[in-house]
Amino acid sequence: MIEDKPLTSRMRSDGRAVSLQEYVAAGGYQGLRAALQLSRHQVIEQVAHSNLKGRGGAGFPTAKKWGLIPTDLARQPRYFVVNADEMEPGTMKDRLLMEGDPHQLIEGMIIGSYAVYASVAYLFIRGEYRQSNEVMKQAIAEAYQAGYLGQKILGSDFGLDLHVHTSAGRYMCGEETATLNALEGKRAIPRFKPPHPPVVGVWGKPTAFNNVETICCVPHILREGAHYFRSLSRTEDGGTKIYGASGRVKTPGLWELPMGTSAREIIFEHAGGVPDGCRFRGCLPGGASTAFLLEDHLDAPMDFMSLQAHGSRLGTGTLVVLDDTVCPVGMMLSLEIFFARESCGWCTPCREGLPWIAAMLEALEKGQGRQEDLHILQEHCDLLLLGRTFCALAPGAVDPLRSALKYFHDDFRRHVINRRCPWS
Amino acid sequence: MLTIYIHNEPYRVKAGINLLEACLSLGFNVPYFCWHPAIKSVGACRQCAVKVFKGPEDTRGTLLMSCVVPVADGMRISIDDPEAVHFRARVIEWLMLNHPHDCPVCDEGGECHLQDMTVMTGHVQRRTRFPKRTHVNQDLGPFVAHEMNRCIQCYRCQRFYCDYAGGRDFGVFGWHDGVYFGRAQSGTLQSEFAGNLVEVCPTGVFTDKSLAQHYTRKWDLTTGPSICVHCGLGCNTIPGARYGQLRRVYSRFNSQVNGYFLCDRGRYGYEFVNSDRRILQPRLRQEDGSLAPVAKAQALAFVGQALQRGKAIGIGSPRASLETNFALRKLVGAEHYFQGESAQKSAISEAILDCLQRGPTPTVSLHEVETCDAVLLLGEDVLNTAPMLGLAIRQASRNQPLEEVARLNVPFWLDLVARLITQDQIGPIFIAATGATRLDGLARQIYRAAPDDLARIGLAIAHLVDPTAPEVSRLPDDAFSFAHPVAEVLKAAKRPLIVSGPSLGSVELIHAAANAAWALTRAGKDARLCYAAESCNSLGAAMLGGGDLTAALELLRSGQADTVLIVENDLRRHMPENDFEELLSLARCVIAVDHLEQATTQRAHCVLPAATFAEAEGTLINNEGRAQRFYKVLPPPAAVQESWRWMGELWVASGRGEASPWPNFDAIVAALASEFAIFKDVPALAPPASFRQVGQKIGRQPHRYSGRTAETADQTVFEPPPPEDADSALAFSMEGTPLEPPSALIPRYWAPGWNSLAALNKFQIEVGGPLHDGDPGQRLIAPKPYPQSPYFKDFVSPFARRPQQFLVVPHHHIYGSEPLSAASAPVASLCPKPYIALNGADAAAAGIAGADQEVVLSLAGASLRLSVILDSTLAASLAAVPAGIAPFEGLDLPAWGTIAAAPAGGQRGGGGS
Amino acid sequence: MGVSPMSSTGVGPVAKKKKLPETRARRPCHEMGSIMLSDEVKKEIDAEARHYPQRRAVVAEALKAVQARRGWVDDESLRDVADYLGLSFDEVDSIATFYNLIFRQPVGRHVILICDSVSCYLTGYEKLLDHLKKKLGIALGQTTADGRFTLLPNACLGLCEQAPAMMIDNETYGHLTAARIDEILGKHE
Ligand SMILES: Cc1cc2nc3c(=O)[nH]c(=O)nc-3n(C[C@H](O)[C@H](O)[C@H](O)COP(=O)(O)O)c2cc1C
Ligand code: SF4
Ligand code: FES
């Protein structure tokens, strides 16, 4: 059966997780069977043809990442790590995938591990996701029982152990190299790159690293073929996408839609638009670290390339919507408090710059802002760039701020001139 | 070599280094914090940003952190690029958001890397108005003060303390801009190298608690090049003084010896110089038996007569300079000169010297230790006897794991990545010892046994490496199963190192280590042999020769001697109490020349006040046979002078001549060199006193030295002329050459814009590399590959237990076992109380209930009441006692003793531990 | 605006006051065996440790196992965990103080994690926070006098479609209103 919502179509309406039986009945683990018939290289080729790009925020082609894992097998073991740390404010899609259909993720992880010669896989789940943790552990136990995990999977020579690692908190744990440090039982400080995890990953060994949603796509690519996967999309990037909307919308939620669906469709058709009597002002298209889109930009396809033309990114594809009832400066303050607090404390611009940003925004909101604060805020947006900071956290923190300063400049100025927040 | 372009000018730089190192080595000023030449790059602070251009056409360039970018041929960079300049100023601004403006009350002020970098980046205006974060400080023990609010979160402290030095009681706590550097809870830092935090921290978080007791700004310190006197490694130091008091000791860079660091014994041991036990006046025994201060002339006349009248012998010291020992030897005559050590210790020093010269295996500098890739420690607990050797071995333990880093084409200086790749892997380190050592955490395998069995292990390894080396009979299985893999691993290593030393009092151990090293050399390995030495001039004393204290006592007994001149030595520490008493009773006249009151000076008929290392110049030979020069840092107090100078005056006073044969330091060095072939290069260790740069001497005081005219204003309004120094090219003055001095005479590191220790990079050929005209010091001995010297064949028999007896072995303590540092108050506070350690099984068998029980140890005729420590790591039938700590000083250990439960209520010989 | 950016979840660098017994110079502290951890906790740690090539990987897990029973991680337990994993006290505390779900200070019987991130902000989290503070009589990071509740801010709970949201102990609650909060609190003794 060809399905246009491969990731979510099996999910039950009662909110219970799809069981192993239900999953298998719906064609589950066929992708794995198909993969095991192929060479590892062929699996990666399939994924390459599917044009699957990472759903964790950066949109890096998955096959390309896997291809960076050295093919000479001198350095063993290899690891496969899936990032379920989902802490980007406004983002709740991986929780849905784990709690709704855990075997889909497990199957993806097995196929991915096969492709990169990994013998151990870890699912790194944030600590607050109690239910995801339980559902996944239960499903993994089922998969072991049924012979999808362990030694000689489905009679092949391939074996895999899959473990859940429950995090103890911190947004930083989602940054790929910080995740690996957390996994090793260290402080979740990012690592220096290069070398990237495919070459020097967890415990110094080659490691594949992907987002939950990315890996959930993999079984379908192997089962139905790369062509099928690409055909799901409205643009170059393959597949469907779990889009979401929250904040100032009538019916917040998550929807699996063709990759490249416009923000307008998501906000106004699926999320019901902004509450009655309110005016749409802007949205963050993919979580807290993406730049604002305005009304004018809403028709752009929500894919990895198109939003760049408007100075933003797809990010996690879960929109956060702002209307005219909430102060954009207050919204920025909430965002920057988050980023300042979640900085790991390793590099100077992030550790010191973000709290300063937050302090200035707080002053603005309290009516104590100064004209020069706006200048210093802008300066930070120009300074906290990728490469100048140690990792992508701080650049992600100033992306929305930069766009806010541009699009809501008058609002910022009014805070200074009127010495109060116009919304307070 | 590669070519890189800086501001479009070509420069030749070494391949494989990073851009920051390249820029600093070329003399450019690039600010930085988290990078440190020894603890390398992590790219955390983002201070070292420069512009890198893709090619001549690229005009925009990319801002990169220079400390993490490897140099590449043809690379084009700009340091002055406006964007880079602006970014660097902003990094300082960020760091200043929370940094208190407390420079005037900060001990780091005036030599603060953060101050320097702030000035360098031109950040002058404070734009923030928000409150600063604050922290609670900790009490970190007697050495290091803590003021966390000044922290700029560069992570250097944690990286040095934990990653580099292996400390585990320190860390980073919390997150975001609240990260906290210190211990989980207040308490004394446990690392032997904690004091380096003071130098490693670029601002005033960690400061020197001993300096704070008598605080002086760096620019007010009189400083000079010196050598540490607290163990045999000869680490280079820069002590600083003001108002006649020694105020601190900092490390002096020597790329071959201690590099950037010091151990805490070396850093904090200096306070003995300021001790109230200092002898500052000649003293003469009076009719009433008291020892009273007298005029110098009176003392000289007394000693001169005694030497003339009596049959005098001279007893030198392994902690006195070559010059002092030599002068004494000349004064009393070679046949009446004694080394000042027990027969056991003398024999060991001689054996070490012999092994290093006779065999084919070269010895190592500390720096070379860091290049070895497999290490066998035979009986020496180096972190307690020669701490910096332990630090070097820790670095060596990374070499094999680092090979994987090279294979992955990751530069080894990319520390974050290198440690990631190597993880917790440790190269092969093997430890054979009597009990636990502080390096055990590094060991791949540990063998614990009595000293004789340790020697046998060494011999067995030698035989396993080279079958022509003598075989060891009756080797038990557990010994074989240690020795065999060790031999295999050493044979497979690129540069295996054998380490031993004198601390267990076993010549056989010294020989066994030599056999093992020689076997490796003969098997074609690039092996190395390293011995710790007990005192700062143990090897120098051995080179000078002279009998041991047993021989000296014999001479007194035989009546051929009746007058004893003892120089910088407390004989009580080198002979058991009975012998000491006998010596004193046999000698008609005892003359002691020393710095501190001690058992010998208290019993002497005449005491002459000797200058300490800080008030004298001299030459010391370290454990590898390296001769190094130290200079005065402060003029000796009025009646105090160098011991060699006393000898010159006694020469005259005893009627040997009209004038001292050594009117100045250069004269005695010349005499030494002409008399001993081995010392022929000693005069060339440093420029002579006549050396001048543009007609000037080298000032020991910085040009910003303040209050010179007021220093003695409370006594006289006339400014006294600065003390003359006829012995060196250094002056006690701020006047001096503006040029960089020769490396042996560098009194301090300072360069325009660089007030902190980081100014050192202006003195090096390349950062981390040797000083401009080479590191000072020279090794005087070399191995002899041909003809091949035969292996030692001392067949030690296996250790045999004796019923009801324990073999009492000395366990050395970094704080306490060395006498001079133990007289320094901060060090004294960490010295252990006397104890006797037994393993639980032995204790139980001896009917000892457990820890803290009082026992009586009968040893060498003495009965010592002690409290018991249980130490499960101690080999069977051994009892360990703290070396050099009363009541154990002067005992030649190991020795057999018996232990009995103490009768209740008796007088304690020593406290519990 | 109530929350200053630095208000933490109460587990940051804590005032470091209590003095620990010094470890003897010749005896590394990691050699001392653990005495306090219950067999049950040890079993849990061991089971988890089998999943990793290095034992230290389970340090956060081990702390959470302790916390699950005691509510927070006190110094003694932390030392036991350190000993059991062959780590030093400082090494473990360095990790414990990094992660926000490990509490190094006593907490109430129930820990309220109120989401303060953007979607909840946009849907009125501030008013609810004020309500909670008033109702409980405490500020963020504090515990009620009766030891019933501790109130902590938390990064996005991933309940954005149900914002505003919070979590108490292991349960999540969305679509919060002042009335619903009162009702939920009432269920926690
Ligand atoms: C501060 C920070 C936090 C991140 N958090 C997450 C996260 O929670 N989940 C996630 O999948 N990716 C997160 N990412 C992105 C990951 O680093 C990584 O790019 C992604 O997981 C890779 O998977 P993909 O290629 O499948 O997208 C984060 C990145 C940064 C810089
Ligand atoms: S205490 Fe000093 S060395 Fe440590 S991080 Fe702070 S500034 Fe750096
Ligand atoms: S010195 Fe280069 S980033 Fe710190």
Side-chain angles (χ1 to χ4, degrees):
Chain A
M1 183 191 67
I2 300 289
E3 179 54 71
D4 64 351
K5 293 191 191 321
L7 299 186
T8 56
S9 63
R10 286 167 307 282
M11 288 188 192
R12 301 165 54 99
S13 53
D14 64 0
R16 264 189 33 224
V18 174
S19 71
L20 177 60
Q21 278 163 336
E22 288 166 334
Y23 184 66
V24 170
Y29 288 109
Q30 292 300 333
L32 173 59
R33 287 179 199 278
L36 292 176
Q37 302 303 315
L38 303 176
S39 74
R40 297 166 196 252
H41 179 67
Q42 285 168 325
V43 174
I44 297 184
E45 269 193 343
Q46 279 262 15
V47 176
H49 289 315
S50 77
N51 230 350
L52 171 63
K53 290 188 183 161
R55 310 296 200 234
F60 195 81
T62 305
K64 202 163 158 191
K65 208 188 262 185
W66 292 358
L68 292 174
I69 302 228
T71 45
D72 96 80
L73 296 180
R75 286 167 60 234
Q76 291 285 3
R78 285 118 187 283
Y79 296 96
F80 195 91
V81 179
V82 166
N83 187 349
D85 191 55
E86 193 162 73
M87 256 174 127
E88 178 85 10
T91 307
M92 57 288 186
K93 64 189 180 69
D94 296 341
R95 182 169 56 88
L96 173 80
L97 290 169
M98 288 187 287
E99 293 174 9
D101 197 353
H103 284 284
Q104 171 172 255
L105 175 57
I106 294 171
E107 185 182 359
M109 289 179 74
I110 304 169
I111 297 170
S113 300
Y114 175 73
V116 302
Y117 297 85
S119 53
V120 183
Y122 294 100
L123 178 59
F124 187 99
I125 309 183
R126 69 178 293 194
E128 291 93 336
Y129 278 8
R130 288 295 293 201
Q131 202 188 334
S132 305
N133 265 285
E134 275 160 29
V135 168
M136 288 308 308
K137 279 181 180 159
Q138 166 80 30
I140 288 167
E142 285 173 358
Y144 266 106
Q145 280 247 306
Y148 297 116
L149 286 171
Q151 292 309 303
K152 299 210 174 294
I153 293 172
L154 298 178
S156 71
D157 275 345
F158 174 62
L160 178 72
D161 278 316
L162 200 171
H163 308 295
V164 168
H165 180 102
T166 312
S167 175
R170 293 263 155 262
Y171 173 60
M172 215 28 238
C173 294
E175 198 280 342
E176 57 178 349
T177 55
T179 320
L180 302 183
N181 276 337
L183 207 50
E184 288 183 16
K186 299 175 178 157
R187 293 163 61 84
I189 306 289
R191 297 172 169 188
F192 185 84
K193 293 179 275 190
H196 292 274
V199 183
V200 177
V202 69
W203 295 292
K205 295 292 192 287
T207 302
F209 189 87
N210 293 97
N211 169 258
V212 168
E213 188 186 349
T214 314
I215 295 308
C216 285
C217 295
V218 170
H220 309 292
I221 296 168
L222 270 292
R223 186 165 64 124
E224 305 291 348
H227 179 75
Y228 154 77
F229 190 75
R230 291 178 67 154
S231 72
L232 293 170
S233 163
R234 292 185 190 164
T235 68
E236 271 301 291
D237 305 324
T240 56
K241 175 81 193 75
I242 312 275
Y243 292 108
S246 65
R248 303 297 302 163
V249 290
K250 275 195 216 156
T251 52
L254 290 162
W255 307 275
E256 182 178 10
L257 299 170
M259 176 64 87
T261 304
S262 73
R264 189 178 304 281
E265 180 184 330
I266 298 164
I267 296 170
F268 292 96
E269 287 181 27
H270 301 282
V274 293
D276 296 334
C278 306
R279 192 169 59 84
F280 174 87
R281 289 211 70 197
C283 68
L284 307 175
S289 52
T290 53
F292 277 99
L293 293 180
L294 297 188
E295 176 88 45
D296 290 352
H297 310 139
L298 295 186
D299 292 318
M302 292 266 290
D303 66 6
F304 290 106
M305 288 306 291
S306 311
L307 297 183
Q308 292 183 13
H310 303 304
S312 191
R313 296 184 298 121
L314 174 62
T316 59
T318 47
L319 296 126
V320 180
V321 178
L322 172 71
D323 66 8
D324 61 352
T325 63
V326 179
C327 171
V329 177
M331 175 174 173
M332 275 320 306
L333 173 57
S334 160
L335 288 169
E336 298 303 341
I337 286 174
F338 166 82
F339 285 114
R341 190 177 60 203
E342 295 302 321
S343 166
C344 73
W346 175 252
C347 82
T348 308
C350 175
R351 183 189 60 241
E352 308 295 335
L354 297 181
W356 195 10
I357 289 176
M360 286 183 285
L361 290 170
E362 189 179 353
L364 283 165
E365 274 291 88
K366 283 183 176 161
Q368 296 160 0
R370 300 178 185 173
Q371 189 61 40
E372 78 210 40
D373 291 348
L374 301 187
H375 171 74
I376 299 173
L377 285 172
Q378 185 60 51
E379 201 178 57
H380 277 78
C381 297
D382 301 337
L383 289 169
L384 302 190
L385 304 178
L386 215 56
R388 302 185 180 189
T389 58
F390 195 85
C391 85
L393 185 139
V398 295
D399 269 1
L401 178 61
R402 187 184 304 109
S403 62
L405 285 169
K406 182 168 154 199
Y407 299 145
F408 308 120
H409 194 252
D410 274 352
D411 296 301
F412 278 87
R413 276 200 37 230
R414 279 197 295 159
H415 279 76
V416 177
I417 294 166
N418 301 344
R419 293 178 182 276
R420 60 185 283 269
C421 170
W423 278 266
S424 70
Chain B
M1 295 292 272
L2 310 171
T3 304
I4 64 169
Y5 296 84
I6 304 180
H7 309 138
N8 293 320
E9 293 292 324
Y11 293 92
R12 305 287 287 165
V13 299
K14 213 162 95 175
I17 61 174
N18 62 56
L19 256 184
L20 177 60
E21 290 175 331
C23 292
L24 293 174
S25 296
L26 290 168
F28 288 96
N29 287 345
V30 178
Y32 61 87
F33 289 111
C34 64
W35 177 81
H36 180 285
I39 51 184
K40 310 296 177 197
S41 309
V42 291
C45 73
R46 319 309 274 180
Q47 184 62 69
C48 63
V50 299
K51 260 290 173 66
V52 179
F53 301 92
K54 292 210 177 65
E57 307 77 38
D58 179 4
T59 50
R60 289 190 56 198
T62 316
L63 209 57
L64 294 177
M65 301 308 135
S66 58
C67 72
V68 289
V69 177
V71 289
D73 206 18
M75 190 171 224
R76 311 187 82 88
I77 71 159
S78 165
I79 301 164
D80 297 346
D81 175 89
E83 215 181 340
V85 168
H86 180 245
F87 184 77
R88 294 196 300 259
R90 297 284 71 78
V91 173
I92 292 285
E93 180 174 41
W94 284 319
L95 295 174
M96 286 295 165
L97 292 179
N98 285 311
H99 188 80
H101 289 189
D102 68 344
C103 303
V105 297
C106 174
D107 284 7
E108 194 83 355
E111 55 179 324
C112 175
H113 187 63
L114 177 58
Q115 276 180 340
D116 289 349
M117 299 297 104
T118 304
V119 173
M120 189 180 290
T121 60
H123 167 69
V124 289
Q125 191 97 38
R126 179 173 152 83
R127 296 193 294 176
T128 170
R129 60 183 184 284
F130 302 105
K132 300 181 180 200
R133 59 108 179 85
T134 53
H135 288 293
V136 179
N137 299 324
Q138 296 180 324
D139 181 352
L140 299 176
F143 296 153
V144 181
H146 193 218
E147 175 44 88
M148 245 316 281
N149 291 332
R150 299 180 185 136
C151 178
I152 57 161
Q153 294 89 7
C154 68
Y155 289 75
R156 270 188 186 187
C157 51
Q158 182 264 337
R159 294 179 51 236
F160 168 78
Y161 195 98
C162 305
D163 295 350
Y164 190 91
R168 301 186 70 179
D169 63 321
F170 188 93
V172 196
F173 303 91
W175 77 100
H176 63 67
D177 74 341
V179 280
Y180 186 95
F181 297 79
R183 299 185 87 228
Q185 282 145 329
S186 269
T188 301
L189 291 166
Q190 299 283 298
S191 169
E192 297 81 357
F193 308 101
N196 293 298
L197 291 177
V198 171
E199 294 187 23
V200 161
C201 175
T203 177
V205 177
F206 298 106
T207 52
D208 184 334
K209 246 189 202 172
S210 75
L211 171 65
Q213 302 300 313
H214 32 54
Y215 184 71
T216 300
R217 292 270 175 219
K218 179 188 182 181
W219 69 72
D220 282 344
L221 281 174
T222 304
T223 49
S226 191
I227 302 292
C228 179
V229 296
H230 301 295
C231 88
L233 296 177
C235 293
N236 292 204
T237 60
I238 299 184
R242 182 151 171 116
Y243 296 136
Q245 211 181 15
L246 202 54
R247 303 200 165 214
R248 75 169 188 200
V249 167
Y250 267 32
S251 72
R252 179 165 62 107
F253 179 82
N254 186 316
S255 75
Q256 282 305 305
V257 188
N258 53 308
Y260 289 83
F261 306 121
L262 287 180
C263 80
D264 287 1
R265 182 200 271 181
R267 184 181 300 275
Y268 296 104
Y270 75 88
E271 291 267 28
F272 81 88
V273 173
N274 306 324
S275 160
D276 48 18
R277 277 169 50 204
R278 267 306 287 279
I279 299 160
L280 297 171
Q281 280 284 320
R283 295 177 192 179
L284 207 52
R285 186 75 54 193
Q286 305 297 307
E287 297 284 305
D288 63 357
S290 71
L291 205 51
V294 296
K296 178 178 175 181
Q298 200 184 340
L300 279 176
F302 174 86
V303 180
Q305 273 174 20
L307 294 179
Q308 255 176 329
R309 183 185 58 230
K311 294 169 273 184
I313 59 169
I315 298 179
S317 168
R319 64 169 157 91
S321 68
L322 272 187
E323 291 78 5
T324 286
N325 280 318
F326 171 74
L328 173 64
R329 187 178 181 275
K330 294 300 286 182
L331 180 66
V332 296
E335 59 289 2
H336 293 133
Y337 166 77
F338 296 86
Q339 273 183 32
E341 287 189 297
S342 71
Q344 182 208 54
K345 292 274 168 61
S346 283
I348 289 176
S349 297
E350 277 158 22
I352 288 175
L353 187 58
D354 177 47
C355 290
L356 294 182
Q357 288 183 292
R358 179 142 69 91
T361 312
T363 187
V364 274
S365 66
L366 285 180
H367 172 69
E368 288 164 319
V369 169
E370 293 178 356
T371 67
C372 294
D373 64 342
V375 185
L376 168 65
L377 283 131
L378 209 52
E380 193 73 10
D381 179 4
V382 289
L383 279 179
N384 278 309
T385 63
M388 286 291 286
L389 178 55
L391 191 63
I393 289 171
R394 181 170 288 282
Q395 310 320 310
S397 75
R398 299 195 62 220
N399 288 331
Q400 283 202 10
L402 278 172
E403 287 170 14
E404 174 74 1
V405 175
R407 267 197 292 280
L408 290 170
N409 282 324
V410 171
F412 73 96
W413 44 256
L414 209 47
D415 197 54
L416 215 52
V417 181
R419 290 190 190 269
L420 200 68
I421 294 169
T422 57
Q423 290 279 317
D424 292 341
Q425 289 178 66
I426 301 169
I429 307 287
F430 300 98
I431 298 181
T434 50
T437 75
R438 296 261 289 164
L439 271 186
D440 284 359
L442 280 187
R444 183 169 291 183
Q445 256 179 291
I446 295 174
Y447 180 73
R448 294 192 179 124
D452 284 353
D453 285 348
L454 298 178
R456 285 163 54 82
I457 277 285
L459 297 172
I461 289 168
H463 176 72
L464 286 165
V465 170
D466 174 8
T468 72
E471 199 174 345
V472 181
S473 58
R474 290 184 290 151
L475 198 64
D477 285 350
D478 66 326
F480 182 80
S481 59
F482 175 79
H484 184 73
V486 172
E488 292 304 311
V489 168
L490 294 176
K491 265 196 293 186
K494 292 201 183 79
R495 183 176 284 181
L497 169 69
I498 310 292
V499 177
S500 190
S503 69
L504 284 180
S506 164
V507 169
E508 291 77 12
L509 206 56
I510 302 296
H511 289 169
N515 267 24
W518 296 352
L520 287 161
T521 304
R522 289 191 193 176
K525 304 300 319 179
D526 183 20
R528 294 289 188 277
L529 176 60
C530 174
Y531 294 108
E534 183 163 304
S535 300
C536 58
N537 201 23
S538 290
L539 252 58
M543 286 172 179
L544 275 170
D548 56 43
L549 287 177
T550 312
L553 190 55
E554 274 311 314
L555 217 60
L556 283 160
R557 283 187 186 131
S558 71
Q560 292 174 55
D562 60 5
T563 301
V564 190
L565 173 55
I566 304 156
V567 178
E568 296 185 26
N569 199 336
D570 178 6
L571 296 187
R572 181 62 190 85
R573 292 189 65 87
H574 292 281
M575 38 190 8
E577 194 166 4
N578 292 343
D579 290 358
F580 180 65
E581 290 299 334
E582 189 186 352
L583 182 138
L584 291 176
S585 65
L586 288 171
R588 254 196 332 161
C589 180
V590 175
I591 304 123
V593 186
D594 211 344
H595 333 297
L596 295 182
E597 281 174 15
Q598 27 92 339
T600 308
T601 62
Q602 276 159 2
R603 306 285 291 276
H605 299 99
C606 179
V607 182
L608 300 177
T612 63
F613 77 95
E615 302 135 346
E617 51 293 294
T619 308
L620 300 172
I621 312 285
N622 80 350
N623 69 313
E624 43 156 341
R626 180 182 301 267
Q628 303 191 99
R629 185 70 53 75
F630 62 93
Y631 286 95
K632 287 191 186 81
V633 177
L634 69 170
V640 179
Q641 59 184 350
E642 302 89 330
S643 297
W644 61 263
R645 198 159 248 137
W646 280 116
M647 298 306 118
E649 294 189 357
L650 290 177
W651 183 277
V652 179
S654 62
R656 301 280 303 277
E658 285 294 304
S660 163
W662 320 292
N664 55 43
F665 184 65
D666 287 337
I668 191 162
V669 171
L672 175 75
S674 67
E675 198 140 330
F676 286 82
I678 195 169
F679 299 134
K680 68 179 183 338
D681 292 333
V682 167
L685 286 176
S690 59
F691 176 81
R692 296 290 180 277
Q693 277 178 318
V694 261
Q696 294 189 71
K697 283 188 138 195
I698 297 150
R700 285 180 175 94
Q701 294 164 353
H703 60 282
R704 289 168 180 162
Y705 192 85
S706 69
R708 180 178 73 178
T709 55
E711 249 180 289
T712 52
D714 57 332
Q715 291 139 38
T716 165
V717 292
F718 297 106
E719 184 194 340
E724 285 293 326
D725 182 358
D727 296 310
S728 77
L730 293 154
F732 289 105
S733 162
M734 43 197 288
E735 279 84 35
T737 160
L739 303 179
E740 182 181 327
S743 63
L745 293 176
I746 295 172
R748 87 195 69 83
Y749 300 116
W750 183 87
W754 297 77
N755 299 293
S756 82
L757 286 167
L760 169 60
N761 73 52
K762 301 288 180 195
F763 291 73
Q764 293 167 317
I765 294 170
E766 57 190 27
V767 288
L771 298 165
H772 278 142
D773 59 343
D775 290 310
Q778 189 185 330
R779 196 184 286 166
L780 301 184
I781 52 176
K784 289 197 183 63
Y786 304 105
Q788 287 196 343
S789 148
Y791 284 110
F792 289 105
K793 292 199 172 118
D794 6 48
F795 282 107
V796 206
S797 27
F799 172 68
R801 299 170 177 221
R802 298 186 189 172
Q804 322 293 321
Q805 290 194 50
F806 288 89
L807 185 69
V808 181
V809 294
H811 273 184
H812 286 251
H813 289 264
I814 177 171
Y815 312 122
S817 294
E818 190 274 325
L820 292 181
S821 56
S824 167
V827 171
S829 69
L830 296 179
C831 294
K833 302 227 165 61
Y835 63 79
I836 181 157
L838 304 169
N839 74 44
D842 281 351
I848 291 155
D852 297 335
Q853 184 178 337
E854 301 273 298
V855 296
V856 174
L857 167 68
S858 308
L859 182 74
S863 286
L864 309 167
R865 199 181 164 102
L866 297 160
S867 117
V868 167
I869 289 182
L870 292 184
D871 178 352
S872 61
T873 68
L874 205 57
S877 291
L878 300 189
V881 297
I885 288 169
F888 302 108
E889 83 281 45
L891 290 177
D892 269 344
L893 297 176
W896 289 97
T898 58
I899 297 171
Q907 198 59 54
R908 261 191 176 199
S913 171
Chain C
M1 288 316 305
V3 196
S4 102
M6 289 311 99
S7 63
S8 67
T9 56
V11 290
V14 291
K16 287 148 200 292
K17 275 180 228 120
K18 223 179 95 203
K19 205 173 152 142
L20 280 181
E22 286 302 320
T23 51
R24 283 230 175 82
R26 300 193 71 90
R27 190 179 180 200
C29 60
H30 57 270
E31 279 185 10
M32 294 192 262
S34 139
I35 15 158
M36 294 278 291
L37 293 182
S38 70
D39 287 345
E40 190 191 13
V41 170
K42 285 184 189 169
K43 244 191 180 152
E44 222 170 275
I45 295 173
D46 292 342
E48 202 62 36
R50 278 195 286 278
H51 298 169
Y52 302 91
Q54 288 174 8
R55 214 169 147 71
R56 73 163 292 158
V58 301
V59 57
E61 208 59 45
L63 293 169
K64 281 189 287 178
V66 168
Q67 184 165 298
R69 288 158 180 86
R70 291 183 162 244
W72 65 293
V73 180
D74 60 328
D75 290 347
E76 285 70 28
S77 306
L78 190 121
R79 176 165 295 286
D80 291 338
V81 166
D83 292 345
Y84 197 58
L85 295 178
L87 297 171
S88 74
F89 186 89
D90 296 69
E91 285 163 344
V92 175
D93 204 23
S94 169
I95 292 153
T97 55
F98 184 87
Y99 294 102
N100 59 303
L101 295 180
I102 292 168
F103 307 139
R104 285 287 281 123
Q105 285 169 18
V107 290
R109 289 195 295 287
H110 307 290
V111 177
I112 307 173
L113 302 177
I114 176 146
C115 175
D116 65 355
S117 291
V118 65
S119 300
C120 290
Y121 173 82
L122 289 169
T123 48
Y125 130 88
E126 280 178 298
K127 284 203 192 76
L128 297 175
L129 178 65
D130 286 344
H131 177 76
L132 261 173
K133 285 192 202 161
K134 215 174 288 160
K135 172 129 184 131
L136 300 174
I138 52 174
L140 279 171
Q142 294 183 340
T143 302
T144 53
D146 59 1
R148 198 167 140 217
F149 290 109
T150 297
L151 180 61
L152 299 174
N154 206 85
C156 177
L157 288 168
L159 299 166
C160 317
E161 81 280 16
Q162 308 166 33
M166 68 177 181
M167 190 164 171
I168 303 185
D169 304 336
N170 293 326
E171 288 302 315
T172 55
Y173 304 91
H175 305 296
L176 293 179
T177 57
R180 204 167 124 70
I181 286 180
D182 292 350
E183 180 196 320
I184 295 164
L185 293 187
K187 287 194 210 136
H188 291 81
E189 256 328 294

